[in-house]
């Protein structure tokens, strides 16, 4: 199965996990998804300094800046597979 197809399957699987991952894992899933689908995060973060969730998401995405789309997809797939077990 091609990486893109495996990635799309993992995205679907992530929505049907039997238990909710912890917040750090959710941020990791978010950042890998965004990196895989959109590339590097914009330098500017959220406008609202009190939107802590948006800031945490942006910070997580910035940390993996430079990761290729395919690498991000593979990491996302591996993480979802680990969560399914």
């Amino acid at each position: 199965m091609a990486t893109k197809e495996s990635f799309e399957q993992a995205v679907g699987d992530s929505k049907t996990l039997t238990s909710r991952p912890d917040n750090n894992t959710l941020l990791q899933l978010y950042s890998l998804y965004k990196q895989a689908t959109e590339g590097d995060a914009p330098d500017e973060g959220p406008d609202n300094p009190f939107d802590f969730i948006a800031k945490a998401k942006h910070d997580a995405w910035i940390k993996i800046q430079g990761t290729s789309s395919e690498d991000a997809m593979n990491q996302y797939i591996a993480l979802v597979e680990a969560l399914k077990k």
Side-chain angles (χ1 to χ4, degrees), residues 23-79:
N23 288 340
N24 286 333
T25 304
L26 289 172
L27 285 172
Q28 191 176 8
L29 285 168
Y30 172 83
S31 63
L32 289 168
Y33 178 84
K34 294 293 273 185
Q35 189 71 22
T37 58
E38 296 183 27
D40 288 342
D43 292 333
E44 292 293 318
D47 292 335
N48 183 347
F50 298 106
D51 189 347
F52 301 114
I53 294 172
K55 179 166 179 18
K57 287 179 172 182
H58 184 260
D59 289 348
W61 188 8
I62 284 282
K63 285 180 185 173
I64 62 170
Q65 202 160 2
T67 303
S68 74
S69 177
E70 189 164 344
D71 280 349
M73 284 184 192
N74 286 325
Q75 289 178 46
Y76 187 97
I77 293 164
L79 181 55

Side-chain angles (χ1 to χ4, degrees), residues 4-16 33 37 76-77 80:
K4 181 124 174 93
E5 292 162 352
S6 296
F7 175 71
E8 290 170 0
Q9 177 67 44
V11 170
D13 290 348
S14 73
K15 296 175 184 172
T16 61
Y33 178 84
T37 58
Y76 187 97
I77 293 164
V80 170

